[in-house]
Amino acid sequence: MSTYVYGITAASHPSLPEGMGGVGDPARPLRVLTQGDLAAVVSDAPEGLRPKRRELLAHQNVLSEIGAGGCVLPMRFGSVAPDDDAVTSVLAERADHYLERLRALDGRVEYNVKANHVEEAVLHHVMALNPEIRALAESNRQSGGGSYDDKIRLGEMVAEAVKARESEDGAALENALRGIADAESVGPESTGWLANVSYLVKRATAEEFLAAVEQARTDMPHLEIRLNGPLPPYSFVEPGPAEPAGTTAAGADTGAE
């Protein structure tokens, strides 16, 4: 049977869960595989696993249980190896990397920050800051809506100005939060958000980071800013393959919205 991997820890981790239920219906009991100074918390992999809410929460709960007692390198939902031997082989092959990451991430959590424009507010900003757009909009209004070409031109000008504002606001938000975090990881641009950044934050300074997010909301009210966390540091386990071995089944991110 394939092996489902939740996370990697130090073998000396004080509270590695065994017997606790993980993914699957019925929940597969957890077990711990050790290799040298490392351990992997695993269970049997259910057939046909899909990223349903129950399964995502089960994966997250296991990581929360491990993380409460010490540092864990979280695997993405759906991380599956062919068998237990494949997991311990990768622990042996990548021992230096995983041990370095455990040291670097100890006492730290991940916060994901996403942002988008509040449509009405950003249009107000664009109109207020661009006299050419204001003039054309007023001309169109006075002429009963304007010609077809003028409407198209106005729409293109507004779209271009909003796009430029997205870049500016994304950079401003990242700059406002960058100095408080130990590291950051920028998410893919295809998500539809003008900013999608994960920050690595010391637990001891988490309140300072949260205060900075609230200050950004105050300073940039034309942005919808979403905060997710604290999370296990998914975005900072690598560079390198995120999965310990084998294939990934329906690889959803339990930290994603």
Side-chain angles (χ1 to χ4, degrees):
M1 179 174 288
S2 299
T3 300
Y4 186 98
V5 186
Y6 300 85
I8 296 169
T9 71
S12 59
H13 191 290
S15 56
L16 292 176
E18 292 192 74
M20 174 184 174
V23 297
D25 188 13
R28 304 302 194 266
L30 303 184
R31 59 184 188 276
V32 178
L33 306 178
T34 58
Q35 174 65 45
D37 293 330
L38 294 169
V41 178
V42 305
S43 69
D44 291 341
E47 292 185 7
L49 183 66
R50 294 291 181 269
K52 296 180 180 179
R53 179 173 174 79
R54 182 207 169 281
E55 305 293 7
L56 293 169
L57 287 175
H59 182 96
Q60 187 80 42
N61 288 340
V62 171
L63 289 170
S64 296
E65 181 73 16
I66 305 168
C71 188
V72 57
L73 304 181
M75 298 295 105
R76 302 281 178 172
F77 175 85
S79 296
V80 178
D83 53 34
D84 287 3
D85 288 343
V87 177
T88 54
S89 292
V90 172
L91 291 181
E93 291 167 7
R94 306 195 67 205
D96 289 345
H97 169 77
Y98 288 137
L99 289 169
E100 183 278 329
R101 287 288 82 199
L102 285 168
R103 289 190 294 269
L105 299 177
D106 191 28
R108 291 161 174 81
V109 292
E110 176 175 331
Y111 285 93
N112 177 257
V113 177
K114 293 183 173 73
N116 243 336
H117 278 144
V118 178
E119 184 175 357
E120 184 175 343
V122 76
L123 289 177
H124 176 77
H125 268 266
V126 165
M127 295 291 287
L129 296 174
N130 193 311
E132 188 178 0
I133 291 178
R134 280 203 314 277
L136 181 56
E138 178 61 19
S139 174
N140 285 356
R141 186 188 67 79
Q142 291 182 357
S143 62
S147 67
Y148 174 79
D149 287 343
D150 284 342
K151 290 178 181 178
I152 293 295
R153 180 166 169 254
L154 178 61
E156 289 175 343
M157 290 172 65
V158 169
E160 184 178 344
V162 168
K163 187 68 175 177
R165 188 78 193 191
E166 286 181 353
S167 297
E168 294 171 8
D169 287 334
L173 178 60
E174 290 179 35
N175 288 335
L177 302 177
R178 178 173 290 132
I180 306 165
D182 285 359
E184 63 184 68
S185 176
V186 178
E189 294 183 0
S190 59
T191 58
W193 299 90
L194 64 84
N196 177 18
V197 185
S198 291
Y199 295 90
L200 185 67
V201 178
K202 292 185 182 73
R203 290 184 186 273
T205 60
E207 289 301 320
E208 183 181 353
F209 180 81
L210 297 177
V213 173
E214 288 305 313
Q215 187 62 51
R217 286 178 171 143
T218 299
D219 294 342
M220 293 180 275
H222 58 292
L223 293 185
E224 175 196 5
I225 300 175
R226 295 190 184 183
L227 176 69
N228 193 15
L231 302 166
Y234 289 103
S235 301
F236 303 94
V237 173
E238 299 296 341
E243 291 72 34
T247 60
T248 301
D253 181 350
T254 59
E257 293 186 41

